[in-house]
Each structure stands twice: as structure tokens, then as C-alpha cells.
Amino acid sequence: GAGVSQSPSNKVTEKGKDVELRCDPISGHTALYWYRQSLGQGLEFLIYFQGNSAPDKSGLPSDRFSAERTGGSVSTLTIQRTQQEDSAVYLCASSPGQGALTQYFGPGTRLTVL
Amino acid sequence: QQPVQSPQAVILREGEDAVINCSSSKALYSVHWYRQKHGEAPVFLMILLKGGEQKGHEKISASFNEKKQQSSLYLTASQLSYSGTYFCGTEQRNRDDKIIFGKGTRLHILP
């Protein structure tokens, strides 16, 4: 079946602009994660959605970052007033949720802020 | 609390063994291991639940010592395809807790 998809695959923007990154999880997966990976660095947790529970936003680096998950499926990560340090690969992962723990990662969106 | 991985990088010759460690300062519910090849997304290897579980996957196995709050990934008779960055992820409280990943261990296998 279809895996996790993300769009766009690449995004180049100017400093100060807003960007939206999209994640389509695997159908039926209740858990959805956003991670950020800077060049040569590890996976930095950003936000976690689990079913209808309030999202865990503890990893968002500033109030310029926000994320929504509509209808328990598609998620959008929004970065307002982008800064050069926001440049990274943004990875989305989904999981079937409670009772099954494997995360399936999407291909990522490479964001470059000029 | 981000888990700590060691070593940060390993260079091996094909056929040699390696151990990658992952430790946490907090009590752990589970430990997850992923491998990421350059330019690709991380790929799941295995999950270990509390209870001193040990798992194996071909020549890649792992152990989880919940009392010591640490896990080790064992790669035996390494193959060129094992090259990549290995990440451990930890869940602290329960099955619905978020997963926090370590900074990764870069493994390079030489022919």
C-alpha cells in the first residue's frame, strides 16, 4: 500500500516568508510525528499527534512553528517568518498507534531559507 | 530527555563486529532502533519493550536492560549494506508517549 508522503519534496524560500509543509500519513494510522533533521544531525522531535488527544507540542522550537492535523489524517506544519536556521529536512512519520509501535517515515521536505 | 548514543561514529572493515549503545537518564518503556542511509528516510529495525528483551534480525540484534535504562545494538559480521547512521529512540512512560531520538551513530563499513 501507499506509504507516508510529503510535499513539497524541496522548498526554497526567502527569509521572512511563511511556508507550509504537508504530510499524508498511511491510511488508518492514528499517530503522526514531525521531526527536523539538520545537515549531519540527528532527528529533532517537533510535535506528536495521537488520535483525538491534544498534540504534544513540546518540541516546537519557537512560536513561529505550528502544526495542524485535520480529520485525524493529513497534517500541515507551518513555519512563519522563516529564518536561515530553519533550513533543514523536515520528516513526517506515522504509526498505527497504540498496540503497534513502528514508525513509518516519509521522504522528507528539504527546506532552504535564503 | 534525549537518549545518549555511543560511539558517535564507527569505521569497520567488512566482516567485523560493532556495538552501538543507547542510554537514558529516565526510566524507559521501550527502545526503538532505526537506520538511515545518506539521503534517505530512516528505516525501522526493531523495537524492544521493557522486560530485558533481546531481539535478533539476521545478523543485527539488540538488548534492552530496563534497570540500567540502556539498550545496545549488535552488528555481527558486518556487511557493506550496514553502512549508515543508526538512531535509537526511546519512549519513557507508556505506549502512547512520544519517541525521542538520539543524535545517531554513523557507521561506515570498508570493503
Side-chain angles (χ1 to χ4, degrees), chain A residues 14-109:
Chain A
E14 294 180 347
K15 177 181 175 180
K17 300 283 188 181
D18 297 351
V19 295
E20 286 189 351
L21 311 180
R22 177 186 170 106
C23 172
D24 284 84
I26 294 172
S27 179
H29 281 195
T30 59
L32 188 148
Y33 296 77
W34 282 99
Y35 296 94
R36 177 169 70 175
Q37 188 171 35
S38 301
L39 186 62
Q41 298 300 308
L43 297 164
E44 178 187 3
F45 166 79
L46 296 178
I47 188 168
Y48 166 52
F49 297 89
Q50 172 56 49
N52 295 321
S53 302
D56 183 335
K57 305 179 182 180
S58 59
L60 295 178
S62 76
D63 58 8
R64 296 187 295 105
F65 288 72
S66 62
E68 290 185 341
R69 188 177 185 194
T70 54
S73 180
V74 173
S75 178
T76 302
L77 178 69
T78 301
I79 308 173
Q80 296 178 312
R81 306 181 300 282
T82 52
Q83 304 293 314
Q84 288 185 331
E85 60 263 29
D86 298 335
S87 296
V89 175
Y90 289 82
L91 290 162
C92 172
S94 73
S95 170
Q98 190 169 11
L101 308 175
T102 305
Q103 288 190 56
Y104 298 85
F105 281 84
T109 293

Side-chain angles (χ1 to χ4, degrees), chain A residues 101-105, chain B residues 5 20 31-37 41-48 55-62 72-75 81-89 101 105 107:
Chain A
L101 308 175
T102 305
Q103 288 190 56
Y104 298 85
F105 281 84
Chain B
Q5 290 187 233
I20 300 171
V31 179
H32 307 229
W33 286 97
Y34 286 77
R35 177 172 62 204
Q36 184 179 32
K37 292 188 176 291
V43 174
F44 167 78
L45 291 177
M46 66 187 76
I47 296 170
L48 300 102
K55 280 191 173 180
H57 176 71
E58 298 181 345
K59 295 179 181 177
I60 301 175
S61 62
S72 295
L73 185 71
Y74 307 94
L75 301 103
S81 61
Y82 289 2
S83 291
T85 300
Y86 289 77
F87 293 98
C88 74
F101 285 93
T105 295
L107 176 66

Side-chain angles (χ1 to χ4, degrees), chain B residues 57-72:
Chain B
H57 176 71
E58 298 181 345
K59 295 179 181 177
I60 301 175
S61 62
S63 63
F64 176 25
N65 187 325
E66 63 184 281
K67 289 184 179 179
K68 293 184 177 180
Q69 296 157 195
Q70 65 185 34
S71 175
S72 295

